[in-house]
Amino acid sequence: MERFDAIVIGAGPAGSTAAYRMAKGGLKVLLVERAKVPGGKNLFGGRIYSHILRKHFGNFESDAPVERFVVRETIGMMDESDCASIDFVSRRSEANKASSFIARRSRFDKWLADKAEGAGALLVPGTNVEDIVVRDGAVRGIVSGGDTIESECVVNAEGVTATIARKAGLRSDVSPSQVKVGVKETIELGKDRINDRFNLSDDEGAAGVFIGYPASYLSASGSFVYTNSDSVSIGLVVDPIELSGARKDVQLMIEEFRLHPYMQRLLKGGRMIEYSAHMIPNSVPLEPSNLVGNGFLNTGDAAGLFVNHGFTYRGVDFAIASGIAAADAVISAHSAGSYGRDSLMSYYEYLAREVIPELRRAEKTAGVLHNKRMFSTYPPFVLDFLEDMFRFDGVGKTPVSSSLRKNMKGRISTLTALRDMLSAYRKL
Ligand SMILES: Cc1cc2nc3c(=O)[nH]c(=O)nc-3n(C[C@H](O)[C@H](O)[C@H](O)COP(=O)(O)OP(=O)(O)OC[C@H]3O[C@@H](n4cnc5c(N)ncnc54)[C@H](O)[C@@H]3O)c2cc1C
């Protein structure tokens, strides 16, 4: 039976990058993916930060399946009928093709897997890994369809469910507090309508995040909008524990978001072509014992490498960074002729230096999102205040200070508002 230097589980961003790097480094690599085509079953919001691709793939734009480059950012607050938003258009982003772009996973993951194959990795799609092979306390292969395939080590890039990571003893059961739930719809709208309604041209793209309705009773929840080339992705990210307490259904909530008057101005006449739901990692322990084992490395979502600031969702660039770092650790281990935990520890050292500090900082920032008033009290307060500010019915304008007092009354005390501001300032 053929034996590999490394087997990679999962051809998502982490897995394909790891396979690409190891194959380029001269290793014999097997990349297995349960979907028939890489990316076929994968879901995300839509935005990828370019820095990591530029670093490892150079001028990636020349052949990557970029839908649009983000030049327009929107942050908004909604109640049932209204929306207040800040719109940011960046000349610098326009000039240098943006620091982020919008992609569809079915195309992007396929592109990355092709890179791995091009570098010499053997890609076997339609293959579900059921178990790992352990010999003398070290992981030495995988089990799929009852067959055993042997290798010197395994790079695990299976995503958020971390089933194989649990079998390898690197994760305990994934508890509801360690995930968020994301749902997404793709609405076909046509390039011209997208350009008109989002004020874009050519390959320019827009990204928007919103708090408040329809998730106003949940903390750390929000909605998003991304423009693809000729369709628009909309979605929600919510906390499953709060969701079940509130007895709400995400399918209904995404419909409420889509039917909001602000969204209808953007999406009217569109046709839903895709609906999907997926989990996102949340507050997963990032200890060496969760990331590196004997002959085993945990990468990407399987390791919990995800950041949710509220205004950004980032997982793909961390997945790619971890795939590269895992591959480099395996290449060094291969040269040293030992795949034990100590030999692979440079992977953890890289993450501890380059990735984990950023995740910890983001967790602190995300503390602001755990204040429920951000989602339930402030959006309707801001919208009512703005209504007073901009409406004139001929009777005499309410002074701004009176409008502030009137809209705070019964909603929030001055002291609580000041405390919230101070706390947000400290966390941000
Ligand atoms: C709603 C939502 C919105 C998001 N928005 C963004 C965003 O805008 N930007 C961003 O950067 N990130 C976003 N993310 C996060 C991002 O999708 C993940 O962080 C990223 O995909 C992680 O990559 P990965 O390679 O670790 O895992 P995945 O992308 O999950 O890939 C895992 C792969 O392993 C395969 N697999 C799983 N189990 C097995 C098995 N047993 N055998 C064989 N193959 C297996 C899967 O089919 C899959 O192809 C979002 C996520 C969600 C759910």
Side-chain angles (χ1 to χ4, degrees), residues 10 13-14 33-34 42 44-45 47 105 128-129 158 301 313 315-316:
E33 166 56 46
R34 69 178 167 193
N42 297 346
F44 84 143
R47 177 209 292 251
R105 290 294 296 277
N128 185 48
V129 176
E158 64 180 322
D301 273 13
Y313 299 108
V316 172

